[in-house]
Amino acid sequence: MKASGVARRAQPVLSTALIVQATRRWCGARQRAQPGGPALHRLFAPLGLFMMAASFDSLMLLVEHAAGRPLLAGLADQPTRDQRGIDALLATGQLATADGWLDFSASRCPLAGAIDCAAVSVRLAAASEPVSTNA
């Protein structure tokens, strides 16, 4: 559907490759003691996913805090357990995914509800953002 030069995306674009790239950028910024949001914005904005930067940054901060350690990122073709866990969380919407990556059960993680909401926010941002067209 097209209106005023803007088309709605039929399917979300939360591919594993995009999630791995986003986690790499976020972790890299954090290692340099910089905020992750601007690095994510530079990745997502050209895709028309402007709001995903803030949502993804919030998710990553919550997960890092719940983990009690910095999240780790690997190479593009060799994602870490943290990257695979974030990808599984976003792909399934389930907190208890990624082969025992982190225990986000409500009894063990007081941030479980917030992490769940942040993951939903990322998924909604990916599904609802308009994509510019060359109308």
Side-chain angles (χ1 to χ4, degrees):
M1 180 176 287
K2 196 169 160 182
S4 306
V6 174
R8 289 267 176 208
R9 194 177 298 104
Q11 296 292 322
V13 294
L14 286 177
S15 68
T16 296
L18 181 61
I19 298 306
V20 167
Q21 187 176 12
T23 56
R24 286 184 70 213
R25 285 191 183 212
W26 190 88
C27 290
R30 297 284 287 176
Q31 287 173 350
R32 294 185 303 278
Q34 297 174 347
L40 292 170
H41 181 74
R42 287 188 296 276
L43 172 64
F44 294 134
L47 302 173
L49 300 168
F50 301 99
M51 293 305 295
M52 274 220 11
S55 298
F56 199 90
D57 185 39
S58 294
L59 174 65
M60 295 293 287
L61 286 168
L62 286 165
V63 170
E64 184 174 74
H65 187 70
R69 61 170 174 77
L71 297 178
L72 302 173
L75 302 173
D77 61 341
Q78 296 176 343
T80 63
R81 283 186 78 189
D82 289 340
Q83 288 174 298
R84 291 189 310 270
I86 293 290
D87 182 48
L89 173 62
L90 291 172
T92 66
Q94 301 295 314
L95 293 174
T97 58
D99 59 52
W101 165 54
L102 295 173
D103 186 358
F104 290 127
S105 62
S107 63
R108 296 210 183 262
C109 179
L111 294 174
I115 291 168
D116 186 42
C117 288
V120 169
S121 178
V122 170
R123 294 172 79 188
L124 286 173
S128 64
E129 292 273 345
V131 175
S132 297
T133 63
N134 296 331

